[in-house]
């Protein structure tokens, strides 16, 4: 067998997962082919049974949720990641097994939860939205005289690095910390 795991995000992203044993070898029951993306533990997985005890089970039905769980951990570490970023991190942090690079037995390799979460923490989300900026004080059309405080609101889906105040096209001041504000005379 082989299982397709839907990543824990609101998308149609899916990952084809094969099973490995405790020695990182492909499980004898696990299918293989060019369609393989990653592998995950699937032999001797300890689970609770209906009688309240524990038992050991095997199958790609356990490899797939392990992979989905790694995706969920990445998303909890960095909720701004896109589906394609989660997939890319999952593939690039997997432990390469078998032939170097992607192969028909392990795909990109066995998932590595620790490495995937560490990379998710330092990965910048795709900046897909233009920032919004507005002057909140003084209001548009207000006549000003003398010393004037200029307050600015700036938002972005990832982050705002800085807000610049330009007067007649020339840079007057820069603020890098919210709430953004300037003084103008």
């Amino acid at each position: 067998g082989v299982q397709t795991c839907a990543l824990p995000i609101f998308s149609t992203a899916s990952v084809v997962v094969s099973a490995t044993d405790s020695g990182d070898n492909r499980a004898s029951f696990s299918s293989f082919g060019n369609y393989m993306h990653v592998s995950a533990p699937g032999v001797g997985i300890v689970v609770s049974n209906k009688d309240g005890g524990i038992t050991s089970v095997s199958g790609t039905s356990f490899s797939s949720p392990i992979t989905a769980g790694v995706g969920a951990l990445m998303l909890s570490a960095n909720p701004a990641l896109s589906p394609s970023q989660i997939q890319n991190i999952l593939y690039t942090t997997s432990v390469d097994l078998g032939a170097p690079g992607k192969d028909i037995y392990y795909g990109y390799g066995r998932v590595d939860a620790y490495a995937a979460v560490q990379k998710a923490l330092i990965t910048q989300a795709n900046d897909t939205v233009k920032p919004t900026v507005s002057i909140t004080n003084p209001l548009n059309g207000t006549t000003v005289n003398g010393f004037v405080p200029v307050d600015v609101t700036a938002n972005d889906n990832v982050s705002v690095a800085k807000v610049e105040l330009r007067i007649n096209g020339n840079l007057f001041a820069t603020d890098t910390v919210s709430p953004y504000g300037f003084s103008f005379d």
Side-chain angles (χ1 to χ4, degrees), residues 81-162:
L81 293 175
S82 70
S84 62
Q85 287 178 304
I86 290 176
Q87 250 176 330
N88 181 278
I89 292 170
L90 187 66
Y91 299 161
T92 59
T93 60
S94 290
V95 176
D96 192 14
L97 302 173
K102 187 175 186 287
D103 63 59
I104 64 172
Y105 300 109
Y106 305 98
Y108 291 99
R110 190 222 343 108
V111 295
D112 182 335
Y114 180 79
V117 169
Q118 292 305 306
K119 191 166 182 179
L121 285 169
I122 62 170
T123 300
Q124 288 286 79
N126 290 332
D127 194 353
T128 58
V129 178
K130 292 180 181 181
T132 59
V133 180
S134 62
I135 296 175
T136 56
N137 181 47
L139 295 175
N140 192 19
T142 303
T143 302
V144 295
N145 190 5
F147 181 76
V148 178
V150 178
D151 298 320
V152 177
T153 299
N155 294 297
D156 187 63
N157 71 309
V158 176
S159 68
V160 175
K162 64 182 175 180

Side-chain angles (χ1 to χ4, degrees), residues 151-175:
D151 298 320
V152 177
T153 299
N155 294 297
D156 187 63
N157 71 309
V158 176
S159 68
V160 175
K162 64 182 175 180
V163 173
E164 296 178 346
L165 176 62
R166 294 182 174 267
I167 300 173
N168 296 325
N170 298 315
L171 180 62
F172 177 75
T174 301
D175 193 350

Side-chain angles (χ1 to χ4, degrees), residues 1 19-21 25-32 42-43 58-60 105-106:
T20 59
D21 63 18
N25 300 301
R26 182 180 62 87
S28 60
F29 56 81
S30 189
S31 298
F32 58 92
V43 175
S58 297
T60 54
Y105 300 109
Y106 305 98

Side-chain angles (χ1 to χ4, degrees), residues 2 16 20 32 38 41-42 45 47 58 63 70 73 75 110 125 138 146 152 156 162 172 178:
V2 65
V16 179
T20 59
F32 58 92
V38 292
I45 306 299
V47 298
S58 297
S63 305
V70 173
L73 289 170
L75 196 56
R110 190 222 343 108
V152 177
D156 187 63
K162 64 182 175 180
F172 177 75
S178 178

